[in-house]
Amino acid sequence: MFTSNIGRLRFFLYSLGLAVAETVVILICIVSTIGFEGLLNSGPGPARQGMAGAVLIASLVFVALRGNIASRRTRDANGRRWILWAYIALSAVYALLQAGVLLAVKFGDPASIPGGLNLLGLSVFGLWCTILWAKPVAGSNIDELTDVFDFDGPLPAPARAGRTVTASVPAAPRAAARVPPAPQPFGRPRPAGFGKRGI
């Protein structure tokens, strides 16, 4: 399950589910350590260290999960490895800085929130979009990528086998483009056919 290829739709749904789960877990970490009132009323420093540590550990776990699905999507689309590793590395840096912001932010003072965090978040989102929109390679297992669309149950064995065979056959070359006829000279049009009589 954690090593199979995934298509665009499944990658999008997994990413959305992980984002919602990460938000819920971060809120649980804040509530279970110092609470929202404690976070708002406390100053930056040691009073928030436990909360920031819990948020950092939870965020790094979700970075590993997002890295797993991004790796599977990159393998499915035969994407560039440097995009995958940049996505994972920047996501880890973002998680670290996010915990640092919760540790050092002064509520009511917008200048205490670093603007670079938003730029880093946009960079991570851009890499995620690149991984999402990559085209699947021709040799991908079509049954594995489209199982999410099987609303009426599995296909019969002959139809499934036929679908995988046709997926591996290269597409037929396109028909040659129609060439328009050459312009005729002025005067009486020539008859079509061979010779003077137009057989």
Side-chain angles (χ1 to χ4, degrees):
M1 176 181 172
F2 291 104
T3 58
S4 60
N5 294 349
I6 57 176
R8 288 178 183 164
L9 179 62
R10 196 175 289 181
F11 177 69
F12 175 79
L13 293 177
Y14 285 175
S15 298
L16 183 63
L18 285 176
V20 171
E22 183 178 10
T23 303
V24 171
V25 169
I26 287 175
L27 293 177
I28 291 173
C29 288
I30 293 173
V31 169
S32 62
T33 52
I34 63 174
F36 290 112
E37 288 186 9
L39 179 62
L40 292 173
N41 297 327
S42 65
R48 299 182 185 176
Q49 284 180 353
M51 180 264 306
V55 168
L56 177 61
I57 291 171
S59 296
L60 289 178
V61 168
F62 280 98
V63 166
L65 293 174
R66 282 197 304 269
N68 177 271
I69 64 168
S71 173
R72 292 161 59 191
R73 173 71 189 130
T74 301
R75 187 173 59 243
D76 166 49
N78 198 18
R80 299 181 185 272
R81 301 299 290 180
W82 70 267
I83 294 177
L84 170 67
W85 288 112
Y87 173 72
I88 294 172
L90 290 180
S91 296
V93 172
Y94 186 85
L96 180 65
L97 293 178
Q98 179 181 9
V101 166
L102 288 175
L103 181 64
V105 68
K106 295 178 182 177
F107 291 99
D109 182 14
S112 65
I113 300 175
L117 194 63
N118 294 332
L119 185 61
L120 182 60
L122 286 175
S123 301
V124 171
F125 180 71
L127 291 170
W128 178 84
C129 289
T130 304
I131 294 170
L132 173 68
W133 290 112
K135 293 182 180 178
V137 293
S140 296
N141 184 353
I142 192 67
D143 294 324
E144 185 177 324
L145 299 177
T146 58
D147 278 344
V148 73
F149 296 110
D150 289 340
F151 300 115
D152 298 331
L155 292 174
R160 185 176 287 264
R163 190 168 69 173
T164 55
V165 169
T166 56
S168 62
V169 176
R174 290 183 176 179
R178 185 174 176 272
V179 179
Q184 295 291 325
F186 293 109
R188 184 174 175 210
R190 295 187 326 190
F194 298 102
K196 293 182 180 179
R197 302 186 67 178
I199 297 176

